[in-house]
C-alpha cells in the first residue's frame, strides 16, 4: 500500500532508519511510526515501518489508519506503509505503540476511543494507557494524542 507522500519524505525516513541500524550494529530491529501533519491544510501523512494502527476521532466516529510493514532490520529492503488522511477542526489523532494494541487489540482500542468522553487529548492518552495497563499490558505502552483546532 503506497499512497502519495511528500516528495522524498519516505527516503529521508529510510536513511534515518538505516543510520540507526548501522549505529546499533548487529541484528537489531527498529520500528518507526511517524505522522507529518500540515497545519495549514490538515493533510496528515503516515509512514509506518513496524508501527501499529493509528486512529482518527472525527465527529464521534473512529477511523483506523492501518499499520503494517515489517520492522527495519528483518529484511534487507525497507518497505514502509504510507497512508494519507485529511484532518479537520475538532478531529483528534491518536497514535499508540504495540504494547497498547497487544493489551486491548485493535478493535478494543477503537471501541475504547468511542467510549472515552472527553475532547482533551491528554486525558484521552492517559485514559487509554490506563485501560491498557488494567488489561494486563506486558510491553511498554505509549499513547500520543493531538487535537486539531482551527484558527478561525
Amino acid at each position: 500500500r503506497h499512497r502519495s507522500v511528500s516528495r522524498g519524505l519516505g527516503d529521508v525516513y529510510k536513511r534515518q532508519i538505516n543510520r540507526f541500524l548501522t549505529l546499533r550494529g548487529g541484528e537489531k530491529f527498529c520500528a518507526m511510526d511517524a505522522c507529518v501533519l500540515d497545519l495549514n491544510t490538515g493533510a496528515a501523512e503516515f509512514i509506518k515501518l513496524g508501527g501499529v494502527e493509528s486512529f482518527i476521532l472525527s465527529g464521534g466516529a473512529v477511523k483506523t489508519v492501518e499499520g503494517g510493514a515489517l520492522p527495519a532490520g528483518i529484511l534487507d529492503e525497507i518497505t514502509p506503509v504510507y497512508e494519507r488522511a485529511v484532518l479537520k477542526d475538532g478531529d483528534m489523532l491518536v497514535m499508540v505503540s504495540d504494547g497498547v494494541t497487544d493489551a486491548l487489540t485493535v478493535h478494543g482500542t477503537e471501541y475504547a476511543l468511542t467510549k472515552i468522553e472527553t475532547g482533551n487529548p491528554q486525558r484521552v492518552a492517559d485514559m487509554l494507557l490506563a485501560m491498557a495497563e488494567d488489561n494486563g499490558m506486558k510491553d511498554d505502552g505509549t499513547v500520543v494524542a493531538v487535537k486539531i483546532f482551527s484558527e478561525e
Side-chain angles (χ1 to χ4, degrees):
R1 295 172 292 186
H2 179 71
R3 300 205 179 137
S4 173
V5 170
S6 297
R7 184 181 189 107
L9 187 60
D11 291 335
V12 169
Y13 284 106
K14 285 182 183 182
R15 282 194 304 273
Q16 293 302 324
I17 292 292
N18 281 329
R19 184 174 299 148
F20 174 78
L21 291 172
T22 301
L23 291 174
R24 292 200 46 178
E27 300 235 356
K28 304 290 182 197
F29 306 117
C30 177
M32 180 192 70
D33 194 0
C35 178
V36 178
L37 181 60
D38 183 326
L39 296 178
N40 294 313
T41 65
E45 296 177 340
F46 296 87
I47 304 100
K48 293 179 171 288
L49 191 63
V52 297
E53 291 77 3
S54 295
F55 307 92
I56 298 170
L57 284 68
S58 181
V62 178
K63 177 188 177 220
T64 301
V65 178
E66 295 301 321
L70 294 171
I74 291 181
L75 301 175
D76 290 334
E77 179 65 26
I78 296 173
T79 310
V81 170
Y82 299 100
E83 292 289 339
R84 184 167 166 61
V86 177
L87 305 179
K88 60 186 185 308
D89 185 40
D91 287 355
M92 189 179 305
L93 167 63
V94 180
M95 298 178 74
V96 301
S97 66
D98 61 347
V100 174
T101 55
D102 287 349
L104 297 175
T105 76
V106 172
H107 295 296
T109 305
E110 291 170 342
Y111 179 76
L113 288 169
T114 65
K115 295 302 177 191
I116 295 174
E117 295 182 5
T118 180
N120 180 317
Q122 183 64 57
R123 297 258 310 128
V124 168
D126 292 344
M127 293 170 81
L128 194 58
L129 192 57
M131 288 177 188
E133 289 170 345
D134 290 347
N135 211 44
M137 184 170 58
K138 293 177 180 58
D139 195 1
D140 63 321
T142 303
V143 178
V144 175
V146 178
K147 188 163 185 174
I148 306 302
F149 294 98
S150 172
E151 286 187 89
E152 298 172 359

